[in-house]
Amino acid sequence: MRIAELTPPPPHYHHHTSPPPSTASPHLDSLISHLDSIIIQSSQHSPLSPSLPSDLRHCVTRLSQLAQLGPFPNPTKLQIWSLCFRLWNSCVDYSNSNSKSKSDSEAVDDGHAEMRHVAADLLRIVVDVEGVPAPELKTASFYHRTGLIWHEKKRFEKAIECFERATSLISKMETRSRGNEVDRETRKLLFEVNVARARTAWDTKELNVAIALLNRCKKGTEDSAMRYLSLANQYLLFGKSLCRSRDKNDEEKRSGDGGNDDREALRMMNEALELCERGLRVVKRREEAVSLKELRDKTLRFVAAVNLNKEEFESVIKCVRVLRENSSDQHPSLSVLAMKAWLGLGRFGEAEKELRGMVVEKGIPEGIWVTAVEAYFKTVGVAGVETVRSVFMGLLGRCSVSAAAAIRVVCKVVADGGNGAGGEGEKVRAALAAELAADERVVALFVGDRRGKERTNMHAILWNYAAAYFKTKDYKISAELFEKAMLYVPSGMESRILRAKGFRVLSLCHLGLSQLDQAQEYIDEAEKFKIFLQNNYHDAAISQVQAIMSCTDFTTDFLSLAAHEAVACAANPVAVAALSNLLNFYSSGKMMPISEVVVLRTIVMILLQKPDNEQDALIFMKKAQARMAELGPDKFFGKKEVGRRERSWFATTAWNNGTRAGEAKIYDLCTEYFMLASDFYGVVMEGEVEGNDPMVCKSIILSVSAMIAAEKQKKVAFVDAEVKHAIEMLDKARKMLASISTADELLDSQDGKTDANLHFIYTFNAYELYGRLKDSGSQQLAVKSFANSKACNPKYLLQIGLTSSEGPLFNSEVATYALNTSLTHLLASPTPDYQNVAMIIRRLITVSVVCKNNFDDEDDAVYALYRQAYRIMVGLKEGEYPVEEGKWLATTAWNRASVPVRLGEVDAGKKWMTLGLELARNVPGMETHRASMEDYIAGFEKKSRKDGKQELKPMETD
């Protein structure tokens, strides 16, 4: 886009406002004249000379040096502005003249972008010109457009440089007046620059910076529907990018990181949805509303797809319902998403409705409905045979179905069967495959010379399926399938051979059908084998239970009465003794009028009436646990509601006693009780479905915590066997945590939610125990699993990161991962806690310095952290980033230049000094330091050209 030529102000303006001329005026005039001649060369649309960009860059460097000697006269500044606009417009003209050409080399393209970059740098040198409206805004616009070009060319470092300079210029303008047109343009440009910066940060894998920048963009929407649209679209693109990265790396998905990508993708897409809704509330034109609604619907479809991948089927259904109610354009994917979600929820009737609805919908492509048929039949199995048949036949009559689609459907029908087991389900599959293959419309799809490959494939599928039944001597089904395979025999000489084989095997099938006695023998043997398996599984438990129930002993009445009388007289020790003797008759196999569980419960209740009896009560709780394991839960506790109440009492009592012991710091007793609680809570009664009770998981985790606390209390370290036992317990809890979290996601109530604090306690304990075994890999896996869970929050990760970054539990890999992940979550917040952000960055720098063995690797890693901190600080309001932390970053970055300076490594030293100066420019209260830095760098560059070795005076940190 061409920019209008700059109109100079009237002559009298210069007379009154021009400062005294610079002492470098002769050199300046010569340099501007040389710059003018170069720009004239660039305006000639001949092939771009490779030396032009470097010549222009040299002029910029010399102008910058002259500007440090003193301010230019305002007429000179205006002249430079005019030259910049001419240079920019020549670049635009050159680009337009070559836009249709495909022969431009990469070098010429880079040179063209570099010329635009030079134009922006020239404006930056004389940005304080008088007589030009909003010079900072125009300069920032040049940088923004140049940065976009560099980004498209994947020259991300140059793009970042342009965008950061644009941000700095705009930030200076933000401190001025509000409400006029310039301010509105400034805020609009800041929004566009932040979006561009976020996109570049994302492409360079600086996800934390990208998220933080998008959050800043929310403040710049200013009731503009198009800005809401732009920002929402960027969030959606980031979410889709995470989904693509997950799909490309299945191993990463299996290790757990893929789940994290799904959660991050969902968060991005939910942000996009919220922005679309906000935008719809402020639309002023119909086109804006249409665009926002289309983006909202598109985002919702992606949200549904991600939820489907996460197996959050209820969420998928909600998304589909919203889309169908509020969207006029019913996308073909909605039926497939809804069908797969209903299948995941086990509601096959609803899934069937969605599948049948595809027959009516003409806009659904063939690939989509074939995939839907495959998914439906894979999940429903034999029960969905009739639905698959009617849907496929309906599609045959409605639209043009290809031979490849028919092969996929038939292949899916036989794919999970095909072993010829001979069950009823297999026979139904075989019948459907035969019916589909014999239909005239299906056969017609394979007619013609061009369909030879498809005919061969269909023939092979049916032949192999028939052969499987032939091996199991199910000759009836085998014969039917072989007959259908004959319909797809290829043409040519091969046809005769295959037909001969077909007739031969059909003869064998019909011969086998006449051997009825042998067929009956196989049936009888199979029945006998089934009965044998059943008897072996049930005999031992049934004989033991009958023996116990058939015995009697009338002396037990006396013991029961004695116990009741002792309780009435408050003689608790007598009651406990009587009931303990009564327990002996249960173990001897005598029939008792009172159930054993009632006796044990009564003993425990009596003991717990007095304080300090928890240890004695523990003995009888363990007896209850042993008898439950011996008899089985239904025989010991009782059946139905009675048994569930008894189980609940023992489990709750163990939990409460463990809690009281923990509060009293009796950690050995606390450990025993929580281990008992985990066993009792984990019992599955008759009529219940085996699952993962959250209380089992909580009890195991707290028992391990008590074990560790007891060790520290007694100051006696665990031996390796004890550590491994504790890790085994935590591993069981880990598996339960994963399944419980998955189940909780489908609940609307809070009853089944796992305590997030408990998840953190598990992770912390696992980290400590694995550390004692020097198992760094398992430590990392535990922390990563926690970071990918819904229980995670930045404060937990920060605590883990701080703990793992120092002391006896030091682990640099875990510390780096936990701190970086915490940083990601903090920056994703609408109002980031920059105090914690600063603390994390400082700790990351410390860990990186401590752990890197190679100096070059350390220097690169630490520099990247300082650079990330700088990019986070750019664009923040004054004081928003902690001032003391900012000073620490600036001074330590500057001081890190001292070693390379002393060693004569000029480039490395200048890199750190420049970074320290850039950081100082964004920290209030460092004006004096900045002046000293700028003076030193200017002198450093001069001296380094002479001897190349200097001493750097370090700065003192506050």
Side-chain angles (χ1 to χ4, degrees), residues 620-687:
F620 289 97
M621 293 283 285
K622 286 186 175 181
K623 282 187 177 181
Q625 178 198 32
R627 292 294 286 166
M628 176 193 69
E630 180 182 351
L631 299 175
D634 292 314
K635 295 297 181 184
F636 177 72
F637 288 123
K639 296 185 177 181
K640 299 184 179 179
E641 187 61 32
V642 173
R644 285 190 284 271
R645 283 200 301 267
E646 293 290 354
R647 175 198 59 185
S648 178
W649 187 89
F650 276 91
T652 304
T653 301
W655 174 272
N656 292 337
N657 285 344
T659 303
R660 284 193 291 269
E663 292 172 349
K665 298 184 179 180
I666 310 173
Y667 296 120
D668 284 332
L669 191 63
C670 176
T671 301
E672 296 285 353
Y673 270 118
F674 277 128
M675 291 178 69
L676 280 174
S678 69
D679 287 339
F680 286 127
Y681 278 122
V683 170
V684 179
M685 306 292 293
E686 182 181 2

Side-chain angles (χ1 to χ4, degrees), residues 473-622:
K473 297 181 172 53
D474 193 337
Y475 300 117
K476 183 176 181 180
I477 295 178
S478 180
E480 184 177 9
L481 290 170
F482 277 128
E483 288 177 357
K484 302 306 182 284
M486 297 284 283
L487 298 173
Y488 298 92
V489 172
S491 58
M493 182 59 66
E494 185 183 2
S495 170
R496 300 181 181 180
I497 299 173
L498 291 177
R499 286 184 184 277
K501 288 182 179 180
F503 287 128
R504 186 162 57 248
V505 76
L506 281 171
S507 299
L508 293 173
C509 289
H510 290 300
L511 181 62
L513 287 172
S514 64
Q515 298 173 350
L516 302 180
D517 294 339
Q518 186 176 355
Q520 187 63 42
E521 181 181 350
Y522 281 107
I523 295 172
D524 293 342
E525 289 297 324
E527 196 68 27
K528 290 177 184 179
F529 181 67
K530 181 178 180 181
I531 294 171
F532 176 76
L533 288 177
Q534 290 178 341
N535 290 337
N536 282 348
Y537 184 76
H538 294 288
D539 282 348
I542 293 174
S543 62
Q544 183 182 11
V545 171
Q546 293 299 325
I548 294 174
M549 298 297 290
S550 62
C551 298
T552 58
D553 190 332
F554 295 104
T555 60
T556 58
D557 290 337
F558 172 77
L559 292 174
S560 300
L561 291 172
H564 280 292
E565 192 66 25
V567 171
C569 296
N572 289 347
V574 177
V576 171
L579 292 174
S580 298
N581 287 324
L582 183 61
L583 286 176
N584 295 332
F585 290 93
Y586 291 95
S587 59
S588 64
K590 301 294 183 180
M591 186 146 191
M592 309 297 288
I594 304 173
S595 63
E596 186 176 7
V597 67
V598 173
V599 177
L600 281 165
R601 172 167 51 81
T602 305
I603 293 174
V604 174
M605 290 176 66
I606 292 171
L607 287 171
L608 292 177
Q609 287 177 4
K610 298 288 184 178
D612 302 326
N613 282 339
E614 287 83 2
Q615 191 66 52
D616 294 332
L618 178 65
I619 296 172
F620 289 97
M621 293 283 285
K622 286 186 175 181

Side-chain angles (χ1 to χ4, degrees), residues 146-164:
T146 306
L148 293 176
I149 293 173
W150 284 129
H151 180 93
E152 291 299 322
K153 296 173 66 58
K154 301 191 182 303
R155 298 286 298 276
F156 296 124
E157 283 301 322
K158 286 187 173 292
I160 290 171
E161 178 186 343
C162 290
F163 293 143
E164 287 177 355

Side-chain angles (χ1 to χ4, degrees), residues 44-222:
Q44 299 170 356
H45 298 307
S46 57
L48 185 65
S49 172
S51 63
L52 268 179
S54 59
D55 292 343
L56 286 167
R57 178 57 63 188
H58 182 64
C59 290
V60 171
T61 303
R62 291 178 60 191
L63 273 174
S64 179
Q65 293 171 347
L66 291 175
Q68 294 177 5
L69 301 178
F72 296 160
N74 203 63
T76 302
K77 294 178 183 178
L78 288 170
Q79 186 179 2
I80 295 174
W81 269 74
S82 179
L83 290 174
C84 291
F85 276 58
R86 283 172 51 197
L87 176 60
W88 183 273
N89 288 335
S90 69
C91 291
V92 174
D93 292 340
Y94 181 83
S95 177
N96 291 339
S97 65
N98 290 277
S99 60
K100 297 181 181 179
S101 173
K102 302 294 182 180
S103 60
D104 291 342
S105 66
E106 184 64 25
V108 173
D109 288 339
D110 286 348
H112 171 240
E114 184 63 33
M115 287 167 61
R116 292 179 183 246
H117 202 153
V118 166
D121 286 342
L122 284 170
L123 290 184
R124 183 165 170 262
I125 294 172
V126 291
V127 73
D128 56 345
V129 65
E130 297 178 2
V132 177
E136 295 96 340
L137 181 62
K138 290 182 171 63
T139 306
S141 176
F142 271 44
Y143 275 122
H144 173 231
R145 297 175 193 177
T146 306
L148 293 176
I149 293 173
W150 284 129
H151 180 93
E152 291 299 322
K153 296 173 66 58
K154 301 191 182 303
R155 298 286 298 276
F156 296 124
E157 283 301 322
K158 286 187 173 292
I160 290 171
E161 178 186 343
C162 290
F163 293 143
E164 287 177 355
R165 288 183 177 178
T167 304
S168 297
L169 289 166
I170 298 170
S171 297
K172 294 177 183 177
M173 296 187 66
E174 280 194 309
T175 60
R176 302 177 185 174
S177 61
R178 297 283 193 268
N180 57 33
E181 184 64 29
V182 173
D183 289 332
R184 284 192 291 272
E185 289 296 322
T186 301
R187 290 190 291 273
K188 177 183 177 184
L189 182 58
L190 178 61
F191 173 85
E192 294 172 352
V193 170
N194 278 335
V195 171
R197 282 183 67 193
R199 191 162 53 245
T200 304
W202 188 271
D203 288 341
T204 55
K205 309 302 180 185
E206 295 185 271
L207 308 190
N208 293 338
V209 177
I211 294 170
L213 289 168
L214 283 190
N215 272 323
R216 293 182 199 175
C217 292
K218 294 178 183 177
K219 301 177 183 177
T221 50
E222 292 189 345

Side-chain angles (χ1 to χ4, degrees), residues 302-343:
F302 277 102
V303 169
V306 175
N307 280 321
L308 185 64
N309 186 70
K310 293 181 65 181
E311 297 184 357
E312 295 183 359
F313 304 117
E314 291 284 358
S315 299
V316 179
I317 296 300
K318 291 177 182 177
C319 290
V320 173
R321 284 176 178 166
V322 170
L323 284 166
R324 286 177 170 171
E325 291 172 0
N326 301 332
S327 177
S328 58
D329 181 19
Q330 298 299 317
H331 198 271
S333 64
L334 296 185
S335 297
V336 180
L337 290 170
M339 188 207 71
K340 290 184 177 180
W342 288 125
L343 290 175

Side-chain angles (χ1 to χ4, degrees), residues 295-436:
L295 183 60
R296 180 193 62 188
D297 294 347
K298 181 180 180 181
T299 305
L300 263 178
R301 290 196 297 271
F302 277 102
V303 169
V306 175
N307 280 321
L308 185 64
N309 186 70
K310 293 181 65 181
E311 297 184 357
E312 295 183 359
F313 304 117
E314 291 284 358
S315 299
V316 179
I317 296 300
K318 291 177 182 177
C319 290
V320 173
R321 284 176 178 166
V322 170
L323 284 166
R324 286 177 170 171
E325 291 172 0
N326 301 332
S327 177
S328 58
D329 181 19
Q330 298 299 317
H331 198 271
S333 64
L334 296 185
S335 297
V336 180
L337 290 170
M339 188 207 71
K340 290 184 177 180
W342 288 125
L343 290 175
L345 293 171
R347 297 176 64 175
F348 300 145
E350 299 292 339
E352 181 180 345
K353 290 180 183 177
E354 295 289 346
L355 187 61
R356 291 184 181 277
M358 295 183 193
V359 179
V360 182
E361 181 60 51
K362 295 184 178 181
I364 299 180
E366 179 184 277
I368 291 181
W369 65 253
V370 172
T371 301
V373 169
E374 290 176 332
Y376 178 83
F377 197 73
K378 179 180 179 181
T379 304
V380 180
V382 176
V385 163
E386 178 58 31
T387 301
V388 171
R389 186 198 66 79
S390 60
V391 168
F392 185 70
M393 294 304 181
L395 290 168
L396 278 174
R398 179 183 64 81
C399 61
S400 176
V401 178
S402 67
I407 291 174
R408 284 179 62 181
V409 172
V410 173
C411 190
K412 193 63 187 178
V413 170
V414 304
D416 300 327
N419 56 7
E424 288 301 320
E426 291 298 321
K427 292 179 180 179
V428 174
R429 286 176 179 272
L432 176 59
E435 182 180 357
L436 293 177

Side-chain angles (χ1 to χ4, degrees), residues 839-944:
M839 179 168 57
I840 290 172
I841 290 174
R842 182 191 278 226
R843 187 59 62 93
L844 282 170
I845 292 172
T846 303
V847 171
S848 184
V849 170
V850 169
C851 297
K852 297 293 183 181
N853 296 322
N854 184 288
F855 179 80
D856 292 335
D857 291 343
E858 173 200 326
D859 191 68
D860 292 341
V862 174
Y863 183 81
L865 290 169
Y866 275 96
R867 197 72 192 171
Q868 182 183 31
Y870 166 71
R871 288 168 181 164
I872 292 172
M873 293 169 65
V874 170
L876 293 179
K877 296 179 180 178
E878 183 174 327
E880 196 168 357
Y881 194 91
V883 175
E884 292 304 317
E885 292 295 329
K887 289 181 179 179
W888 181 87
L889 287 169
T891 54
T892 54
W894 178 269
N895 292 339
R896 286 187 68 85
S898 60
V899 173
V901 167
R902 285 198 298 270
L903 297 175
E905 297 177 0
V906 176
D907 292 338
K910 185 177 179 182
K911 175 183 73 173
W912 281 106
M913 286 189 287
T914 303
L915 179 57
L917 177 59
E918 290 175 346
L919 287 164
R921 286 171 176 162
N922 287 275
V923 180
M926 293 196 72
E927 291 77 8
T928 304
H929 291 87
R930 286 202 298 268
S932 300
M933 290 176 173
E934 289 169 351
D935 292 343
Y936 184 85
I937 291 175
F940 176 82
E941 290 177 344
K942 292 180 180 179
K943 292 181 181 179
S944 62

